[in-house]
Amino acid sequence: MGDLDPAAVSTALTGADVFFVLIGAILVFAMHGGFAFLEVGTVRRKNQVNALVKILVDFSISTITYFFIGYMVAYGTTFFMSAAILSGNAPGPDGVAFASSGLDLVKFFFLATFAAAIPAIISGGIAERAKFWPQAMATAVIVGLIYPFFEGMVWGGNYGLQDFMEANFGAQFHDFAGSVVVHAVGGWIALGAVLVLGPRLGRYKPGQSSAQGIPPSNIPWLAMGSWMLCIGWFGFNVMTAGSLEGVSGLVALNSLMAMVGGVMAAVIAGRNDPGFVHNGALAGLVAVCAGSDVMHPIGSLITGGVAGALFVITFQLAQNRWKIDDVLGVWPLHGICGAWGGIACGIFGLEALGGLGGVTLAAQFVGTVIGAGYALVLGYALYGALNATIGIRMSPEDEERGADLSIHSISAYPEEDLTSRS
């Protein structure tokens, strides 16, 4: 057998990395179908079409905005050059170089699916009463500016945040797959949006201590959304490595353990409620993102279990005691559990607790607080500004009629509607 050609080997390895990252991007892209069906199964029948359309349009706006603005804000890279340069087949100006075989392009695709998760998260919180185009405008601002600014500080090394963390707290802020960068940021922006919008009509009656019950419209759709998200999450976490050389089975096992920990805690704390059970799996996965590459599997199981219980408890408190009408519970699920995941990384990632080390609790706590506070303040400011200028809430008549007919002029069951009229 002759000697292998080093150039051919390098090309093959790069091609393998392209395929690896591309599969990860496709899996995370599929998660957006999970976001859609989770919302479809939770909202009332008169708002199901809106949920489906909103997620797909938000994804499209997110991709365009991230391509032209957001990616540049986060990483300083633009795509305003020839396809030959972008695909790595020709050198770029001023030393700009893209990886061969289009590896950097599929990495953009992968990161764009992360960015698009932010408005998908927010969508569930503001469901059933938000106007369509003002939310689309908010999506463009969030994915073009708000999210990538923080993404760049944590993952791109921008503005000295990580240097500050290391100098003052013994380690950089560690968020491997986005418990804070993606999920907590999305969840805390959503809280700001929900507070500006206010509750749905009839959700809280004067003199009543708890919310007026609005049951999920379709448990099977809700469950399918959860399953799609769970499966795609292994692309979200594992393929964050970005290459075959960097991939780790520890991330896969930790993700699995956190997921089942979230399920078991939610089934107990939620007293067998199917909505809590299926969201409990997601709570565990949200929480493990940050430390999935450094935790011990037992630490991940505990992290997921705490997240599952946290979701059930904070969802009930928000809906009933604090009267925050967050339809899908995205603040408890992504905001609270994402923040817990950022902090948990600084606990169960420590070598003393079986982790790989390289993290400190202080850095994780401070980084998490910065991320959550940043998102809440800017989320509230953005939606407050939109509300004060163009309005973001549907009229009472349109809300009562439902977003499907009011915005899209068709319901989820048009044949049934025709039969009822005859």
Side-chain angles (χ1 to χ4, degrees), residues 223-367:
M224 189 180 80
S226 174
W227 275 103
M228 290 178 68
L229 285 162
C230 287
I231 292 167
W233 224 294
F234 288 87
F236 196 101
N237 284 0
V238 176
M239 291 164 175
T240 290
S243 68
L244 286 172
E245 183 181 6
V247 70
S248 171
L250 180 65
V251 177
L253 181 56
N254 282 341
S255 301
L256 179 66
M257 296 299 283
M259 184 194 83
V260 298
V263 170
M264 295 311 300
V267 75
I268 295 169
R271 299 181 181 180
N272 301 322
D273 181 282
F276 285 141
V277 171
H278 286 92
N279 278 285
L282 307 181
L285 286 163
V286 164
V288 81
C289 287
S292 57
D293 63 327
V294 295
M295 290 181 179
H296 189 280
I298 296 175
S300 296
L301 179 65
I302 297 170
T303 297
V306 171
L310 265 177
F311 170 72
V312 173
I313 294 167
T314 54
F315 180 88
Q316 293 174 328
L317 286 172
Q319 296 288 337
N320 295 320
R321 181 172 298 179
W322 302 327
K323 296 187 177 181
I324 300 172
D325 190 15
D326 177 352
V327 180
L328 267 67
V330 298
W331 174 57
L333 179 61
H334 298 274
I336 298 296
C337 293
W340 157 242
I343 295 168
C345 176
I347 300 172
F348 298 107
L350 298 173
E351 291 185 53
L353 292 177
L356 297 182
V359 297
T360 67
L361 178 57
Q364 293 306 117
F365 180 81
V366 172

Side-chain angles (χ1 to χ4, degrees), residues 56-138:
L56 186 57
V57 172
D58 276 347
F59 182 88
S60 302
I61 292 171
S62 296
T63 302
I64 294 169
T65 308
Y66 196 66
F67 181 85
F68 285 105
I69 303 172
Y71 196 75
M72 179 181 64
V73 171
Y75 303 106
T77 300
T78 68
F79 300 98
F80 299 106
M81 53 199 76
S82 71
I85 296 172
L86 295 178
S87 60
N89 294 327
D94 301 323
V96 173
F98 282 80
S100 62
S101 302
L103 178 58
D104 288 328
L105 304 185
V106 292
K107 286 184 176 179
F108 163 80
F109 181 13
F110 185 71
L111 288 170
T113 61
F114 276 47
I118 304 293
I121 290 167
I122 296 167
S123 174
I126 63 175
E128 300 202 309
R129 75 268 204 208
K131 290 181 179 178
F132 187 82
W133 287 113
Q135 169 55 21
M137 293 174 62

